[in-house]
Amino acid sequence: MMEFRLLYEGELLPSSNTKRRAKEKHAIRRAFHPQLRRLWSMRSNLQEVADRAFIESLEDKNLVYNLHGEDAYAGPPKTEQERFDTGIKLIGEKWARAGYELVPVVVPEFGLQCSLDILLLRPEGNRYIFEQGDIDGQVKTLFDALRIPNSSDETDGATPEPDEHPLFCLLQDDKLISEVKVTTDQLLMLPHEKEVRANTCFVTIHVKLNHRDARTFDNYFG
């Protein structure tokens, strides 16, 4: 099992069929990006995924690579950081769309089940709840923000910022979410704010990645 927590604080508007909230969802996606980028840099199993992408790129070019660090291709050997950076770039290119190179953690070939335990703190009281909207709609906004965008319509036409090459996301598709638990409680006030606003929330998402196929899971996340 692999588990970690993602945090978000700020405006969280409910999504519906008539209000798709592309701009707002992409802003939340961008808030998760640096957290997930750090996750890839810290977890050895994700570093291994990036390294495999690097090695597979050599094999695709019919180049012989020795796992002990000796290579038969022209050019200087790659450091671990260079291999990681190259692997991440290759993963980003594989999932490129909507004008972004994208790096999702959960993709179908990993055979993972992704469960989410969401703590949603939001202002209570009839006035705030009326203005803020329904909880299901807010959770839907989070789901869409956790996955990669499929077209520029889902980013409101945004282009990558300098540190978004690539953009890190949790999911390739929100259909990969196997279980969801949502707990709501009262938000008194965000630490850096001086007043309570109806659409302001603080969110903690406890992510657990479990395997459907133990062999596939161990290959990638063992």
Side-chain angles (χ1 to χ4, degrees):
M1 177 189 294
M2 178 179 177
E3 56 184 301
F4 51 92
R5 288 173 173 80
L6 298 172
L7 304 178
Y8 172 74
E9 64 175 28
E11 188 175 56
L12 182 59
L13 296 170
S15 177
S16 67
N17 291 333
T18 57
K19 297 180 180 179
R20 306 204 172 218
R21 310 287 192 193
K23 182 178 181 179
E24 292 82 2
K25 291 174 183 177
H26 194 55
I28 299 172
R29 186 180 290 117
R30 282 174 152 165
F32 291 137
H33 156 70
Q35 299 174 62
L36 291 164
R37 179 178 58 195
R38 179 163 167 75
L39 180 75
W40 277 83
S41 70
M42 292 179 61
R43 295 296 179 95
S44 60
N45 40 24
L46 290 175
Q47 292 170 3
E48 178 66 18
V49 172
D51 197 58
R52 291 185 190 199
F54 167 74
I55 293 172
E56 288 170 4
S57 73
L58 301 182
E59 295 173 347
D60 289 342
K61 298 175 183 176
N62 296 318
L63 299 172
V64 179
Y65 189 84
N66 185 304
L67 292 179
H68 294 292
E70 299 174 359
D71 47 340
Y73 66 95
K78 296 278 188 179
T79 66
E80 287 187 10
Q81 186 62 49
E82 289 173 332
R83 287 166 55 135
F84 175 78
D85 292 342
T86 301
I88 288 293
K89 179 174 176 56
L90 292 166
I91 295 171
E93 291 173 352
K94 174 182 177 180
W95 293 104
R97 59 200 67 185
Y100 285 81
E101 295 177 353
L102 301 159
V103 178
V105 176
V106 183
V107 296
E109 55 260 43
F110 288 172
L112 296 177
Q113 293 180 328
C114 178
S115 67
L116 305 178
D117 189 345
I118 301 172
L119 173 62
L120 175 58
L121 303 183
R122 63 186 210 156
E124 292 185 352
N126 291 337
R127 177 171 69 89
Y128 295 118
I129 299 301
F130 177 77
E131 293 180 25
Q132 191 172 48
D134 65 287
I135 294 171
D136 288 345
Q138 289 179 304
V139 172
K140 170 61 174 164
T141 295
L142 286 174
F143 281 6
D144 288 345
L146 287 169
R147 66 168 174 80
I148 64 175
N150 290 310
S151 71
S152 58
D153 290 341
E154 295 185 346
T155 65
D156 195 45
T159 56
E161 296 290 341
D163 71 337
E164 295 176 348
H165 297 280
L167 184 73
F168 289 80
C169 301
L170 177 64
L171 305 160
Q172 179 265 328
D173 193 303
D174 57 14
K175 293 179 181 178
L176 296 169
I177 300 172
S178 60
E179 182 180 6
V180 179
K181 176 184 176 183
V182 179
T183 302
T184 63
D185 207 341
Q186 182 178 17
L187 173 67
L188 298 176
M189 190 177 294
L190 292 175
H192 61 279
E193 297 287 351
K194 295 184 178 180
E195 62 180 2
V196 180
R197 287 179 283 186
N199 296 318
T200 298
C201 290
F202 185 88
V203 184
T204 301
I205 305 174
H206 186 184
V207 182
K208 292 183 180 180
L209 305 182
N210 297 296
H211 57 85
R212 292 195 298 266
D213 183 317
R215 291 170 298 177
T216 302
F217 183 83
D218 289 341
N219 285 342
Y220 287 98
F221 292 93

